Amino acid sequence: MRQSQLFTKTERNAPKDEATVNAQLLARAGFVSKLMAGVYSYLPLGLRVLNNIENIVREEMDAAGGQEISMPMIHPKSIWATTGGWDKIDVLFKIKSRTEKEYALGQSEEEVVTPLVMRYTNNYKDLPKAVYQINWKFRDELRSKSGLMRGVEFLMKDMYSFHETQEDFERFYAEMKKAYLKIYTRLGLTAKVTEGSGGAFSEKISYEFMVLTDAGEDDILYCNACDFCVNLEIAKEKEGERCTRCNKGTIAKARASEVGNVFDLGQKFTKAFDLTFNGRDGKKQYATMGCFGLGISRVMGVIVKISRRARHHLAGVGRAVCGASARAWRRRWRKSL
Ligand SMILES: [Zn+2]
């Protein structure tokens, strides 16, 4: 189809009610259109970008052994009450039906996927397993002013892995780390992995994938020689110090945007639903789980921010991400730095 036939038009001025650069640029170029705060329509060009990011993520998840499924976005209250999330998670979107029954809109799917996968897991030979979906998620934000970066409705890839032991989760995490870094490279982004706190999902450790950008929302410290990286908020190290991990590099500070996260869920969810499998010794055992998130619409916002910093013309971003190969897009991106 010819560009002249597109039903959208570029606009000279940013919409008055749009505070963030990523959404302003995308709205002006006719990639997205805001319905209300944190909720957007993806127009023909914007949807192509979203689909291309999605396909790169899908290819790498399939290559890493993930099995794609699609889970419901609307959930009964009961499963969220079982894990305590109904009362504990303040951003959980709750809705009431005229039947007086209450429902939650998915913001993560542990409550759905745990009973689903464990239904087919009888003994240790059925593990490990990894299933994922690419689907819309919801957060009941008090204020949503970050454009595509933190929407009320957002597109996310969420993978859930099930393991016999903690060691097997660690093995799988190492594989997924490689897959994630490959995804970011294919998207023309430079990513680092930090260890953060577990947040609402887990008492255990979490890992965050951060893309280096001056327009980021977080400060990170990283080693210029090895892959050590930590969020400044929880860092014991200081900028300019020698790295204690490799004893070679120097600790540097940078701004970054979070583009993916991993939660070591342990046995929290399999215990909450009391779902077991038969272990090697014949005894009942709880599976250990991991959650691997990657915000597809958020990544689109990050690419826009970085491209702008790199003095990219917005049309270039569209053409590159929509039409050109990942390699051409990367070459173009590198050249612009
Ligand atoms: Zn180092």
Side-chain angles (χ1 to χ4, degrees):
M1 193 191 78
R2 286 169 189 273
Q3 194 173 358
S4 58
Q5 288 177 321
L6 277 176
F7 83 89
T8 59
K9 298 257 189 300
T10 53
E11 286 163 4
R12 193 178 295 269
N13 300 312
K16 285 196 180 66
D17 60 344
E18 197 63 83
T20 48
V21 170
N22 69 77
Q24 280 178 358
L25 291 170
L26 287 170
R28 279 178 58 197
F31 280 49
V32 303
S33 174
K34 182 155 110 176
L35 178 65
M36 59 180 183
V39 180
Y40 293 85
S41 295
Y42 287 80
L43 307 175
L45 293 178
L47 185 61
R48 290 188 72 167
V49 176
L50 215 53
N51 287 343
N52 279 346
I53 298 171
E54 196 180 308
N55 286 338
I56 288 173
V57 171
R58 179 176 286 116
E59 279 172 25
E60 297 304 331
M61 289 300 102
D62 288 347
Q67 298 179 42
E68 188 174 7
I69 60 173
S70 177
M71 289 181 276
M73 293 182 232
I74 185 164
H75 307 160
K77 177 183 178 180
S78 59
I79 56 174
W80 286 92
T82 301
T83 59
W86 185 265
D87 295 317
K88 260 192 251 168
I89 302 174
D90 53 0
V91 295
L92 186 66
F93 219 115
K94 300 168 183 172
I95 47 177
K96 198 180 225 171
S97 156
R98 59 181 171 163
T99 63
E100 294 294 308
K101 277 187 191 147
E102 289 181 288
Y103 300 89
L105 296 181
Q107 50 101 44
S108 189
E109 303 264 337
E110 284 87 350
E111 277 76 1
V112 177
V113 80
T114 307
L116 174 71
V117 169
M118 290 310 291
R119 184 176 161 191
Y120 303 103
T121 306
N122 302 320
N123 64 54
Y124 68 94
K125 288 177 191 161
D126 295 322
L127 296 172
K129 259 182 200 153
V131 300
Y132 75 96
Q133 69 170 356
I134 296 173
N135 216 338
W136 294 91
K137 304 266 182 312
F138 302 88
R139 288 171 62 92
D140 192 2
E141 299 279 1
L142 286 179
R143 285 178 299 277
S144 194
K145 290 184 178 169
S146 309
L148 270 61
M149 299 298 291
R150 197 177 180 83
V152 168
E153 184 182 72
F154 54 100
L155 187 62
M156 187 166 157
K157 184 280 301 177
D158 43 330
M159 175 184 266
Y160 305 89
S161 65
F162 294 76
H163 308 272
E164 191 184 349
T165 59
Q166 183 67 27
E167 291 70 44
D168 193 59
F169 163 76
E170 304 289 346
R171 172 199 61 77
F172 186 71
Y173 166 70
E175 279 176 29
M176 286 301 286
K177 183 175 161 182
K178 280 186 213 155
Y180 265 56
L181 293 176
K182 200 169 166 196
I183 289 169
Y184 299 126
T185 304
R186 287 182 68 183
L187 292 168
L189 303 170
T190 305
K192 300 218 168 263
V193 195
T194 69
E195 292 186 353
S197 62
F201 302 105
S202 158
E203 287 83 48
K204 300 183 109 182
I205 202 145
S206 74
Y207 307 88
E208 288 168 352
F209 290 85
M210 311 292 289
V211 162
L212 302 188
T213 160
D214 289 346
E217 319 73 62
D218 289 288
D219 284 311
I220 57 165
L221 292 180
Y222 68 97
C223 170
N224 60 9
C226 70
D227 62 3
F228 170 76
C229 182
V230 68
N231 201 306
L232 188 67
E233 279 176 17
I234 59 162
K236 295 182 198 83
E237 296 74 8
K238 284 201 182 72
E239 190 181 0
E241 280 181 358
R242 177 168 278 248
C243 172
T244 51
R245 297 264 178 110
C246 66
N247 264 320
K248 274 188 254 163
T250 309
I251 301 296
K253 193 173 130 182
R255 294 288 281 171
S257 272
E258 188 192 329
V259 285
N261 47 45
V262 178
F263 295 101
D264 177 349
L265 300 174
Q267 300 176 327
K268 181 181 168 179
F269 289 92
T270 44
K271 277 186 175 164
F273 287 101
D274 194 23
L275 294 168
T276 57
F277 65 93
N278 288 320
R280 287 170 197 271
D281 55 5
K283 285 182 189 151
K284 299 262 182 223
Q285 204 180 312
Y286 291 104
T288 295
M289 287 172 60
C291 171
F292 302 81
L294 196 156
I296 308 271
S297 45
R298 185 181 172 87
V299 162
M300 182 168 160
V302 169
I303 289 175
V304 172
K305 283 206 301 189
I306 287 180
S307 304
R308 176 175 156 91
R309 287 275 152 167
R311 296 197 193 332
H312 245 309
H313 191 270
L314 188 65
V317 180
R319 213 177 306 126
V321 183
C322 292
S325 68
R327 187 178 293 161
W329 157 236
R330 199 154 65 237
R331 203 183 307 127
R332 181 193 286 256
W333 180 75
R334 284 213 185 106
K335 220 196 280 179
S336 68
L337 287 177

